[in-house]
Amino acid sequence: MLFYEGSNSFLEEVVEFESAKYVVLPVPMELTNSYLKGTKFAPRSIIDASRSIENYNNELDYEIKNKIFTTNDIEVPPDTEKALEAIRGTVSDVLSSGKLPILLGGEHLVTYGASGAFDPDVIFVIFDAHADFKDAVYGVSLNHASNSRLVNQRNDVALVGIRSLSKEEKDEMKKRKLTVIYMDEMKKEQTIDIITKKVKGRKVYISIDMDVFDVSIAPAVGTPQPNGLLYTDMMNYLFAIVNNSELVGMDITEVKPEPDNKITEVLAAKIATDIIALNERKHE
Ligand SMILES: [Mn+2]
C-alpha cells in the first residue's frame, strides 16, 4: 500500500503502517448513485477537512497520536461486482494485519463490499435516513438503495435514524424482525437502550451514511432528507455502542462535496475522530 505524507493523510497523522492501529481507506466508489453526483470526490475532501480538526478531543479528554495510517485511494473498477470485490480484498488485508479499517466513501454500497471481509457474527449498525432495503432498483440489485438488504444477506443489521423508505421495504424489515430505530421514534422516546441491548458484548461495524444527519448540519449529501440527527444525538448513540461492544470496523459514506461549503466533510471527519477517541479511551 502507498502512503500519503503529511497534509494528505487523515488528521495529518504520519506513522508507519506496522505501528498504526487504524487504517483509513479512501474509497472513491460512485457507480450506482441515483440522485446527486459527486460522492467519488468525498474521500479526499473529508481527509482535507480533517486538517481543521484538533487531535485532542476535549469532551473525551483524549489525544489521538500515532494511531492512524492513511492509504492511497482504493482503485475502483467501473464494474460494480469487481469494485465490491476490490473493497472486500483491501479490507481483508487490513483485518489480517490486525488493524481496524475506516472506509471513507464513496457511495453507501462500499459497506456491502466491506461486509464480505468480516465474520458472519459481526453486527452492522447502520445510521441512515434511508432504509436502503430495496429488492432491486430499476432491475439492478447491486445498488446503494439496497445496501442494508445486501449486508443483511449474511450479517445481522440494526438501522438507526430511518425516515425514508417504501411500504414494501417496511414490510420486508418487519418480516425479518430487523432492529430499526425510526427518526420519529427517536424524537419522542429513549431509543438508545434498544441498540445498547442489541450490541452488548458483540463485534460491531458502524456505518454512517451522512444523510442521517439533519440537512442543516450536513447539507452536502447525495440524497438529502429533512428532519435528521444532530451531533449530540449521534454522540450519545456512539458512546453507548462503542462502550458496550467490540468495534471491528467503520465507514462514512454518501458525502457529495460542494465547492464552497465544507461543513459536511468537517462533521464526517469529526465523527471519525470521535469514534477513534471513544474506542481508544475504552482500551486505556
Ligand atoms: Mn441514505
Side-chain angles (χ1 to χ4, degrees), residues 71-108:
T71 73
N72 264 335
D73 291 7
I74 293 181
E75 274 190 48
V76 181
D79 175 83
T80 306
E81 274 182 48
K82 289 195 177 111
L84 294 170
E85 177 51 29
I87 295 165
R88 190 204 60 76
T90 308
V91 173
S92 279
D93 289 347
V94 172
L95 291 175
S96 54
S97 61
K99 303 180 194 305
L100 195 148
I102 300 175
L103 288 82
L104 300 179
E107 62 165 277
H108 207 165

PDB file of all heavy atoms in Angstrom, residues 71-108:
ATOM      1  N   THR A  71      -4.118   5.198   3.536  1.00  0.00           N
ATOM      2  CA  THR A  71      -3.626   4.600   2.278  1.00  0.00           C
ATOM      3  C   THR A  71      -3.967   5.514   1.103  1.00  0.00           C
ATOM      4  O   THR A  71      -4.745   6.463   1.234  1.00  0.00           O
ATOM      5  CB  THR A  71      -4.279   3.227   1.997  1.00  0.00           C
ATOM      6  OG1 THR A  71      -5.639   3.423   1.594  1.00  0.00           O
ATOM      7  CG2 THR A  71      -4.215   2.316   3.206  1.00  0.00           C
ATOM      8  N   ASN A  72      -3.388   5.188  -0.036  1.00  0.00           N
ATOM      9  CA  ASN A  72      -3.832   5.815  -1.279  1.00  0.00           C
ATOM     10  C   ASN A  72      -5.271   5.425  -1.565  1.00  0.00           C
ATOM     11  O   ASN A  72      -5.785   4.456  -0.987  1.00  0.00           O
ATOM     12  CB  ASN A  72      -2.961   5.337  -2.438  1.00  0.00           C
ATOM     13  CG  ASN A  72      -1.840   6.306  -2.733  1.00  0.00           C
ATOM     14  OD1 ASN A  72      -1.938   7.495  -2.426  1.00  0.00           O
ATOM     15  ND2 ASN A  72      -0.790   5.802  -3.319  1.00  0.00           N
ATOM     16  N   ASP A  73      -5.918   6.141  -2.485  1.00  0.00           N
ATOM     17  CA  ASP A  73      -7.281   5.782  -2.868  1.00  0.00           C
ATOM     18  C   ASP A  73      -7.320   4.333  -3.372  1.00  0.00           C
ATOM     19  O   ASP A  73      -6.457   3.922  -4.149  1.00  0.00           O
ATOM     20  CB  ASP A  73      -7.773   6.677  -4.017  1.00  0.00           C
ATOM     21  CG  ASP A  73      -7.981   8.112  -3.563  1.00  0.00           C
ATOM     22  OD1 ASP A  73      -7.633   8.434  -2.415  1.00  0.00           O
ATOM     23  OD2 ASP A  73      -8.496   8.907  -4.369  1.00  0.00           O
ATOM     24  N   ILE A  74      -8.321   3.600  -2.917  1.00  0.00           N
ATOM     25  CA  ILE A  74      -8.529   2.252  -3.451  1.00  0.00           C
ATOM     26  C   ILE A  74      -8.967   2.376  -4.909  1.00  0.00           C
ATOM     27  O   ILE A  74      -9.813   3.205  -5.238  1.00  0.00           O
ATOM     28  CB  ILE A  74      -9.618   1.512  -2.635  1.00  0.00           C
ATOM     29  CG1 ILE A  74      -9.110   1.241  -1.227  1.00  0.00           C
ATOM     30  CG2 ILE A  74     -10.041   0.222  -3.320  1.00  0.00           C
ATOM     31  CD1 ILE A  74     -10.090   0.496  -0.365  1.00  0.00           C
ATOM     32  N   GLU A  75      -8.367   1.585  -5.772  1.00  0.00           N
ATOM     33  CA  GLU A  75      -8.780   1.617  -7.183  1.00  0.00           C
ATOM     34  C   GLU A  75     -10.128   0.934  -7.332  1.00  0.00           C
ATOM     35  O   GLU A  75     -10.299  -0.215  -6.924  1.00  0.00           O
ATOM     36  CB  GLU A  75      -7.729   0.932  -8.053  1.00  0.00           C
ATOM     37  CG  GLU A  75      -6.621   1.899  -8.446  1.00  0.00           C
ATOM     38  CD  GLU A  75      -5.694   1.322  -9.491  1.00  0.00           C
ATOM     39  OE1 GLU A  75      -6.202   0.774 -10.491  1.00  0.00           O
ATOM     40  OE2 GLU A  75      -4.476   1.419  -9.275  1.00  0.00           O
ATOM     41  N   VAL A  76     -11.080   1.668  -7.886  1.00  0.00           N
ATOM     42  CA  VAL A  76     -12.439   1.150  -8.014  1.00  0.00           C
ATOM     43  C   VAL A  76     -12.734   0.830  -9.482  1.00  0.00           C
ATOM     44  O   VAL A  76     -12.915   1.744 -10.291  1.00  0.00           O
ATOM     45  CB  VAL A  76     -13.467   2.171  -7.483  1.00  0.00           C
ATOM     46  CG1 VAL A  76     -14.876   1.609  -7.589  1.00  0.00           C
ATOM     47  CG2 VAL A  76     -13.164   2.559  -6.042  1.00  0.00           C
ATOM     48  N   PRO A  77     -12.764  -0.448  -9.857  1.00  0.00           N
ATOM     49  CA  PRO A  77     -13.094  -0.799 -11.243  1.00  0.00           C
ATOM     50  C   PRO A  77     -14.502  -0.336 -11.595  1.00  0.00           C
ATOM     51  O   PRO A  77     -15.368  -0.268 -10.714  1.00  0.00           O
ATOM     52  CB  PRO A  77     -13.022  -2.335 -11.252  1.00  0.00           C
ATOM     53  CG  PRO A  77     -12.285  -2.715 -10.015  1.00  0.00           C
ATOM     54  CD  PRO A  77     -12.538  -1.636  -9.017  1.00  0.00           C
ATOM     55  N   PRO A  78     -14.774  -0.006 -12.866  1.00  0.00           N
ATOM     56  CA  PRO A  78     -16.096   0.504 -13.256  1.00  0.00           C
ATOM     57  C   PRO A  78     -17.213  -0.541 -13.171  1.00  0.00           C
ATOM     58  O   PRO A  78     -18.383  -0.190 -13.178  1.00  0.00           O
ATOM     59  CB  PRO A  78     -15.895   0.955 -14.706  1.00  0.00           C
ATOM     60  CG  PRO A  78     -14.633   0.313 -15.160  1.00  0.00           C
ATOM     61  CD  PRO A  78     -13.802   0.015 -13.960  1.00  0.00           C
ATOM     62  N   ASP A  79     -16.847  -1.814 -13.065  1.00  0.00           N
ATOM     63  CA  ASP A  79     -17.842  -2.875 -12.908  1.00  0.00           C
ATOM     64  C   ASP A  79     -18.166  -3.020 -11.410  1.00  0.00           C
ATOM     65  O   ASP A  79     -17.263  -3.192 -10.588  1.00  0.00           O
ATOM     66  CB  ASP A  79     -17.267  -4.184 -13.465  1.00  0.00           C
ATOM     67  CG  ASP A  79     -18.200  -5.354 -13.235  1.00  0.00           C
ATOM     68  OD1 ASP A  79     -19.128  -5.517 -14.038  1.00  0.00           O
ATOM     69  OD2 ASP A  79     -18.025  -6.076 -12.230  1.00  0.00           O
ATOM     70  N   THR A  80     -19.467  -2.932 -11.063  1.00  0.00           N
ATOM     71  CA  THR A  80     -19.853  -2.886  -9.638  1.00  0.00           C
ATOM     72  C   THR A  80     -19.376  -4.122  -8.865  1.00  0.00           C
ATOM     73  O   THR A  80     -18.844  -4.002  -7.762  1.00  0.00           O
ATOM     74  CB  THR A  80     -21.379  -2.728  -9.491  1.00  0.00           C
ATOM     75  OG1 THR A  80     -21.789  -1.587 -10.249  1.00  0.00           O
ATOM     76  CG2 THR A  80     -21.778  -2.511  -8.044  1.00  0.00           C
ATOM     77  N   GLU A  81     -19.560  -5.302  -9.446  1.00  0.00           N
ATOM     78  CA  GLU A  81     -19.144  -6.521  -8.736  1.00  0.00           C
ATOM     79  C   GLU A  81     -17.645  -6.548  -8.488  1.00  0.00           C
ATOM     80  O   GLU A  81     -17.178  -6.929  -7.412  1.00  0.00           O
ATOM     81  CB  GLU A  81     -19.571  -7.765  -9.519  1.00  0.00           C
ATOM     82  CG  GLU A  81     -20.991  -8.177  -9.179  1.00  0.00           C
ATOM     83  CD  GLU A  81     -21.433  -9.434  -9.902  1.00  0.00           C
ATOM     84  OE1 GLU A  81     -20.668 -10.411  -9.899  1.00  0.00           O
ATOM     85  OE2 GLU A  81     -22.535  -9.414 -10.489  1.00  0.00           O
ATOM     86  N   LYS A  82     -16.894  -6.120  -9.494  1.00  0.00           N
ATOM     87  CA  LYS A  82     -15.429  -6.083  -9.347  1.00  0.00           C
ATOM     88  C   LYS A  82     -15.022  -5.023  -8.322  1.00  0.00           C
ATOM     89  O   LYS A  82     -14.073  -5.211  -7.556  1.00  0.00           O
ATOM     90  CB  LYS A  82     -14.758  -5.790 -10.692  1.00  0.00           C
ATOM     91  CG  LYS A  82     -14.851  -6.958 -11.666  1.00  0.00           C
ATOM     92  CD  LYS A  82     -13.882  -6.784 -12.835  1.00  0.00           C
ATOM     93  CE  LYS A  82     -13.935  -7.986 -13.768  1.00  0.00           C
ATOM     94  NZ  LYS A  82     -14.526  -7.663 -15.073  1.00  0.00           N
ATOM     95  N   ALA A  83     -15.741  -3.906  -8.311  1.00  0.00           N
ATOM     96  CA  ALA A  83     -15.449  -2.842  -7.342  1.00  0.00           C
ATOM     97  C   ALA A  83     -15.668  -3.361  -5.920  1.00  0.00           C
ATOM     98  O   ALA A  83     -14.839  -3.138  -5.025  1.00  0.00           O
ATOM     99  CB  ALA A  83     -16.340  -1.630  -7.609  1.00  0.00           C
ATOM    100  N   LEU A  84     -16.793  -4.061  -5.712  1.00  0.00           N
ATOM    101  CA  LEU A  84     -17.096  -4.601  -4.386  1.00  0.00           C
ATOM    102  C   LEU A  84     -16.041  -5.614  -3.963  1.00  0.00           C
ATOM    103  O   LEU A  84     -15.631  -5.659  -2.794  1.00  0.00           O
ATOM    104  CB  LEU A  84     -18.491  -5.246  -4.384  1.00  0.00           C
ATOM    105  CG  LEU A  84     -19.651  -4.263  -4.598  1.00  0.00           C
ATOM    106  CD1 LEU A  84     -20.961  -5.008  -4.830  1.00  0.00           C
ATOM    107  CD2 LEU A  84     -19.781  -3.314  -3.409  1.00  0.00           C
ATOM    108  N   GLU A  85     -15.563  -6.411  -4.909  1.00  0.00           N
ATOM    109  CA  GLU A  85     -14.532  -7.406  -4.619  1.00  0.00           C
ATOM    110  C   GLU A  85     -13.202  -6.724  -4.250  1.00  0.00           C
ATOM    111  O   GLU A  85     -12.490  -7.174  -3.349  1.00  0.00           O
ATOM    112  CB  GLU A  85     -14.369  -8.346  -5.827  1.00  0.00           C
ATOM    113  CG  GLU A  85     -13.279  -9.399  -5.715  1.00  0.00           C
ATOM    114  CD  GLU A  85     -13.344 -10.220  -4.423  1.00  0.00           C
ATOM    115  OE1 GLU A  85     -14.432 -10.410  -3.859  1.00  0.00           O
ATOM    116  OE2 GLU A  85     -12.250 -10.655  -3.973  1.00  0.00           O
ATOM    117  N   ALA A  86     -12.898  -5.620  -4.944  1.00  0.00           N
ATOM    118  CA  ALA A  86     -11.662  -4.868  -4.635  1.00  0.00           C
ATOM    119  C   ALA A  86     -11.722  -4.319  -3.205  1.00  0.00           C
ATOM    120  O   ALA A  86     -10.731  -4.362  -2.467  1.00  0.00           O
ATOM    121  CB  ALA A  86     -11.476  -3.726  -5.631  1.00  0.00           C
ATOM    122  N   ILE A  87     -12.882  -3.827  -2.819  1.00  0.00           N
ATOM    123  CA  ILE A  87     -13.059  -3.286  -1.458  1.00  0.00           C
ATOM    124  C   ILE A  87     -12.929  -4.415  -0.427  1.00  0.00           C
ATOM    125  O   ILE A  87     -12.212  -4.293   0.564  1.00  0.00           O
ATOM    126  CB  ILE A  87     -14.423  -2.574  -1.319  1.00  0.00           C
ATOM    127  CG1 ILE A  87     -14.455  -1.337  -2.233  1.00  0.00           C
ATOM    128  CG2 ILE A  87     -14.700  -2.181   0.126  1.00  0.00           C
ATOM    129  CD1 ILE A  87     -15.840  -0.762  -2.454  1.00  0.00           C
ATOM    130  N   ARG A  88     -13.630  -5.527  -0.696  1.00  0.00           N
ATOM    131  CA  ARG A  88     -13.570  -6.668   0.227  1.00  0.00           C
ATOM    132  C   ARG A  88     -12.124  -7.138   0.426  1.00  0.00           C
ATOM    133  O   ARG A  88     -11.674  -7.368   1.550  1.00  0.00           O
ATOM    134  CB  ARG A  88     -14.414  -7.838  -0.304  1.00  0.00           C
ATOM    135  CG  ARG A  88     -14.598  -8.963   0.702  1.00  0.00           C
ATOM    136  CD  ARG A  88     -14.898 -10.304   0.028  1.00  0.00           C
ATOM    137  NE  ARG A  88     -13.833 -10.723  -0.869  1.00  0.00           N
ATOM    138  CZ  ARG A  88     -12.667 -11.240  -0.476  1.00  0.00           C
ATOM    139  NH1 ARG A  88     -12.424 -11.416   0.797  1.00  0.00           N
ATOM    140  NH2 ARG A  88     -11.746 -11.571  -1.362  1.00  0.00           N
ATOM    141  N   GLY A  89     -11.378  -7.249  -0.691  1.00  0.00           N
ATOM    142  CA  GLY A  89      -9.990  -7.705  -0.626  1.00  0.00           C
ATOM    143  C   GLY A  89      -9.107  -6.776   0.192  1.00  0.00           C
ATOM    144  O   GLY A  89      -8.302  -7.227   1.018  1.00  0.00           O
ATOM    145  N   THR A  90      -9.276  -5.474  -0.010  1.00  0.00           N
ATOM    146  CA  THR A  90      -8.450  -4.499   0.715  1.00  0.00           C
ATOM    147  C   THR A  90      -8.771  -4.518   2.211  1.00  0.00           C
ATOM    148  O   THR A  90      -7.869  -4.494   3.054  1.00  0.00           O
ATOM    149  CB  THR A  90      -8.677  -3.072   0.159  1.00  0.00           C
ATOM    150  OG1 THR A  90      -8.503  -3.104  -1.257  1.00  0.00           O
ATOM    151  CG2 THR A  90      -7.692  -2.093   0.762  1.00  0.00           C
ATOM    152  N   VAL A  91     -10.066  -4.587   2.533  1.00  0.00           N
ATOM    153  CA  VAL A  91     -10.470  -4.627   3.949  1.00  0.00           C
ATOM    154  C   VAL A  91      -9.947  -5.906   4.603  1.00  0.00           C
ATOM    155  O   VAL A  91      -9.470  -5.894   5.739  1.00  0.00           O
ATOM    156  CB  VAL A  91     -12.003  -4.494   4.095  1.00  0.00           C
ATOM    157  CG1 VAL A  91     -12.441  -4.708   5.543  1.00  0.00           C
ATOM    158  CG2 VAL A  91     -12.463  -3.125   3.604  1.00  0.00           C
ATOM    159  N   SER A  92      -9.977  -7.019   3.852  1.00  0.00           N
ATOM    160  CA  SER A  92      -9.430  -8.282   4.363  1.00  0.00           C
ATOM    161  C   SER A  92      -7.956  -8.141   4.714  1.00  0.00           C
ATOM    162  O   SER A  92      -7.504  -8.631   5.757  1.00  0.00           O
ATOM    163  CB  SER A  92      -9.568  -9.397   3.309  1.00  0.00           C
ATOM    164  OG  SER A  92     -10.856  -9.915   3.332  1.00  0.00           O
ATOM    165  N   ASP A  93      -7.195  -7.470   3.838  1.00  0.00           N
ATOM    166  CA  ASP A  93      -5.763  -7.246   4.092  1.00  0.00           C
ATOM    167  C   ASP A  93      -5.557  -6.468   5.388  1.00  0.00           C
ATOM    168  O   ASP A  93      -4.671  -6.792   6.186  1.00  0.00           O
ATOM    169  CB  ASP A  93      -5.122  -6.454   2.937  1.00  0.00           C
ATOM    170  CG  ASP A  93      -4.998  -7.301   1.670  1.00  0.00           C
ATOM    171  OD1 ASP A  93      -5.163  -8.542   1.768  1.00  0.00           O
ATOM    172  OD2 ASP A  93      -4.741  -6.724   0.597  1.00  0.00           O
ATOM    173  N   VAL A  94      -6.367  -5.419   5.578  1.00  0.00           N
ATOM    174  CA  VAL A  94      -6.245  -4.593   6.792  1.00  0.00           C
ATOM    175  C   VAL A  94      -6.556  -5.434   8.035  1.00  0.00           C
ATOM    176  O   VAL A  94      -5.830  -5.385   9.035  1.00  0.00           O
ATOM    177  CB  VAL A  94      -7.181  -3.366   6.722  1.00  0.00           C
ATOM    178  CG1 VAL A  94      -7.205  -2.608   8.044  1.00  0.00           C
ATOM    179  CG2 VAL A  94      -6.751  -2.428   5.592  1.00  0.00           C
ATOM    180  N   LEU A  95      -7.629  -6.234   7.944  1.00  0.00           N
ATOM    181  CA  LEU A  95      -8.036  -7.054   9.094  1.00  0.00           C
ATOM    182  C   LEU A  95      -6.990  -8.115   9.420  1.00  0.00           C
ATOM    183  O   LEU A  95      -6.690  -8.351  10.590  1.00  0.00           O
ATOM    184  CB  LEU A  95      -9.384  -7.729   8.812  1.00  0.00           C
ATOM    185  CG  LEU A  95     -10.596  -6.794   8.749  1.00  0.00           C
ATOM    186  CD1 LEU A  95     -11.835  -7.566   8.333  1.00  0.00           C
ATOM    187  CD2 LEU A  95     -10.824  -6.095  10.084  1.00  0.00           C
ATOM    188  N   SER A  96      -6.398  -8.720   8.380  1.00  0.00           N
ATOM    189  CA  SER A  96      -5.424  -9.777   8.672  1.00  0.00           C
ATOM    190  C   SER A  96      -4.118  -9.205   9.224  1.00  0.00           C
ATOM    191  O   SER A  96      -3.309  -9.944   9.781  1.00  0.00           O
ATOM    192  CB  SER A  96      -5.190 -10.670   7.444  1.00  0.00           C
ATOM    193  OG  SER A  96      -4.826  -9.889   6.344  1.00  0.00           O
ATOM    194  N   SER A  97      -3.919  -7.887   9.074  1.00  0.00           N
ATOM    195  CA  SER A  97      -2.754  -7.284   9.718  1.00  0.00           C
ATOM    196  C   SER A  97      -3.104  -6.791  11.123  1.00  0.00           C
ATOM    197  O   SER A  97      -2.310  -6.101  11.775  1.00  0.00           O
ATOM    198  CB  SER A  97      -2.197  -6.138   8.864  1.00  0.00           C
ATOM    199  OG  SER A  97      -3.168  -5.134   8.699  1.00  0.00           O
ATOM    200  N   GLY A  98      -4.312  -7.130  11.588  1.00  0.00           N
ATOM    201  CA  GLY A  98      -4.700  -6.837  12.967  1.00  0.00           C
ATOM    202  C   GLY A  98      -5.106  -5.395  13.213  1.00  0.00           C
ATOM    203  O   GLY A  98      -5.105  -4.930  14.354  1.00  0.00           O
ATOM    204  N   LYS A  99      -5.465  -4.675  12.146  1.00  0.00           N
ATOM    205  CA  LYS A  99      -5.820  -3.260  12.288  1.00  0.00           C
ATOM    206  C   LYS A  99      -7.305  -3.027  12.000  1.00  0.00           C
ATOM    207  O   LYS A  99      -7.965  -3.874  11.402  1.00  0.00           O
ATOM    208  CB  LYS A  99      -4.944  -2.426  11.354  1.00  0.00           C
ATOM    209  CG  LYS A  99      -3.466  -2.663  11.636  1.00  0.00           C
ATOM    210  CD  LYS A  99      -2.571  -1.877  10.751  1.00  0.00           C
ATOM    211  CE  LYS A  99      -1.139  -2.387  10.818  1.00  0.00           C
ATOM    212  NZ  LYS A  99      -0.593  -2.434  12.195  1.00  0.00           N
ATOM    213  N   LEU A 100      -7.764  -1.873  12.428  1.00  0.00           N
ATOM    214  CA  LEU A 100      -9.180  -1.558  12.272  1.00  0.00           C
ATOM    215  C   LEU A 100      -9.390  -0.651  11.056  1.00  0.00           C
ATOM    216  O   LEU A 100      -8.835   0.446  10.994  1.00  0.00           O
ATOM    217  CB  LEU A 100      -9.676  -0.879  13.557  1.00  0.00           C
ATOM    218  CG  LEU A 100     -11.188  -0.778  13.750  1.00  0.00           C
ATOM    219  CD1 LEU A 100     -11.540  -0.853  15.229  1.00  0.00           C
ATOM    220  CD2 LEU A 100     -11.769   0.480  13.141  1.00  0.00           C
ATOM    221  N   PRO A 101     -10.153  -1.127  10.059  1.00  0.00           N
ATOM    222  CA  PRO A 101     -10.363  -0.326   8.848  1.00  0.00           C
ATOM    223  C   PRO A 101     -11.405   0.775   9.032  1.00  0.00           C
ATOM    224  O   PRO A 101     -12.448   0.562   9.646  1.00  0.00           O
ATOM    225  CB  PRO A 101     -10.869  -1.360   7.830  1.00  0.00           C
ATOM    226  CG  PRO A 101     -11.504  -2.432   8.652  1.00  0.00           C
ATOM    227  CD  PRO A 101     -10.818  -2.439   9.989  1.00  0.00           C
ATOM    228  N   ILE A 102     -11.084   1.972   8.497  1.00  0.00           N
ATOM    229  CA  ILE A 102     -12.034   3.083   8.462  1.00  0.00           C
ATOM    230  C   ILE A 102     -12.194   3.471   6.997  1.00  0.00           C
ATOM    231  O   ILE A 102     -11.302   4.085   6.415  1.00  0.00           O
ATOM    232  CB  ILE A 102     -11.517   4.287   9.279  1.00  0.00           C
ATOM    233  CG1 ILE A 102     -11.317   3.880  10.744  1.00  0.00           C
ATOM    234  CG2 ILE A 102     -12.470   5.480   9.161  1.00  0.00           C
ATOM    235  CD1 ILE A 102     -10.685   4.966  11.609  1.00  0.00           C
ATOM    236  N   LEU A 103     -13.321   3.090   6.397  1.00  0.00           N
ATOM    237  CA  LEU A 103     -13.534   3.392   4.981  1.00  0.00           C
ATOM    238  C   LEU A 103     -14.187   4.757   4.821  1.00  0.00           C
ATOM    239  O   LEU A 103     -15.168   5.072   5.511  1.00  0.00           O
ATOM    240  CB  LEU A 103     -14.443   2.331   4.333  1.00  0.00           C
ATOM    241  CG  LEU A 103     -13.832   0.945   4.113  1.00  0.00           C
ATOM    242  CD1 LEU A 103     -13.888   0.119   5.380  1.00  0.00           C
ATOM    243  CD2 LEU A 103     -14.536   0.213   2.984  1.00  0.00           C
ATOM    244  N   LEU A 104     -13.641   5.557   3.917  1.00  0.00           N
ATOM    245  CA  LEU A 104     -14.268   6.830   3.572  1.00  0.00           C
ATOM    246  C   LEU A 104     -14.823   6.719   2.153  1.00  0.00           C
ATOM    247  O   LEU A 104     -14.054   6.659   1.186  1.00  0.00           O
ATOM    248  CB  LEU A 104     -13.254   7.982   3.657  1.00  0.00           C
ATOM    249  CG  LEU A 104     -12.583   8.233   5.017  1.00  0.00           C
ATOM    250  CD1 LEU A 104     -11.596   9.397   4.910  1.00  0.00           C
ATOM    251  CD2 LEU A 104     -13.623   8.532   6.098  1.00  0.00           C
ATOM    252  N   GLY A 105     -16.190   6.655   2.049  1.00  0.00           N
ATOM    253  CA  GLY A 105     -16.816   6.593   0.727  1.00  0.00           C
ATOM    254  C   GLY A 105     -16.897   7.971   0.136  1.00  0.00           C
ATOM    255  O   GLY A 105     -16.558   8.954   0.786  1.00  0.00           O
ATOM    256  N   GLY A 106     -17.330   8.009  -1.077  1.00  0.00           N
ATOM    257  CA  GLY A 106     -17.985   6.996  -1.833  1.00  0.00           C
ATOM    258  C   GLY A 106     -19.455   6.770  -1.442  1.00  0.00           C
ATOM    259  O   GLY A 106     -19.974   7.307  -0.490  1.00  0.00           O
ATOM    260  N   GLU A 107     -20.079   6.032  -2.334  1.00  0.00           N
ATOM    261  CA  GLU A 107     -21.478   5.699  -2.137  1.00  0.00           C
ATOM    262  C   GLU A 107     -21.623   4.645  -1.037  1.00  0.00           C
ATOM    263  O   GLU A 107     -20.658   3.977  -0.671  1.00  0.00           O
ATOM    264  CB  GLU A 107     -22.083   5.187  -3.438  1.00  0.00           C
ATOM    265  CG  GLU A 107     -21.428   3.912  -3.956  1.00  0.00           C
ATOM    266  CD  GLU A 107     -22.274   3.242  -5.029  1.00  0.00           C
ATOM    267  OE1 GLU A 107     -23.192   2.515  -4.634  1.00  0.00           O
ATOM    268  OE2 GLU A 107     -22.016   3.440  -6.222  1.00  0.00           O
ATOM    269  N   HIS A 108     -22.859   4.474  -0.556  1.00  0.00           N
ATOM    270  CA  HIS A 108     -23.079   3.607   0.602  1.00  0.00           C
ATOM    271  C   HIS A 108     -22.819   2.129   0.316  1.00  0.00           C
ATOM    272  O   HIS A 108     -22.594   1.337   1.228  1.00  0.00           O
ATOM    273  CB  HIS A 108     -24.497   3.794   1.156  1.00  0.00           C
ATOM    274  CG  HIS A 108     -24.593   3.492   2.615  1.00  0.00           C
ATOM    275  ND1 HIS A 108     -25.653   3.857   3.393  1.00  0.00           N
ATOM    276  CD2 HIS A 108     -23.733   2.852   3.446  1.00  0.00           C
ATOM    277  CE1 HIS A 108     -25.455   3.439   4.639  1.00  0.00           C
ATOM    278  NE2 HIS A 108     -24.294   2.832   4.691  1.00  0.00           N
TER     279      HIS A 108
END
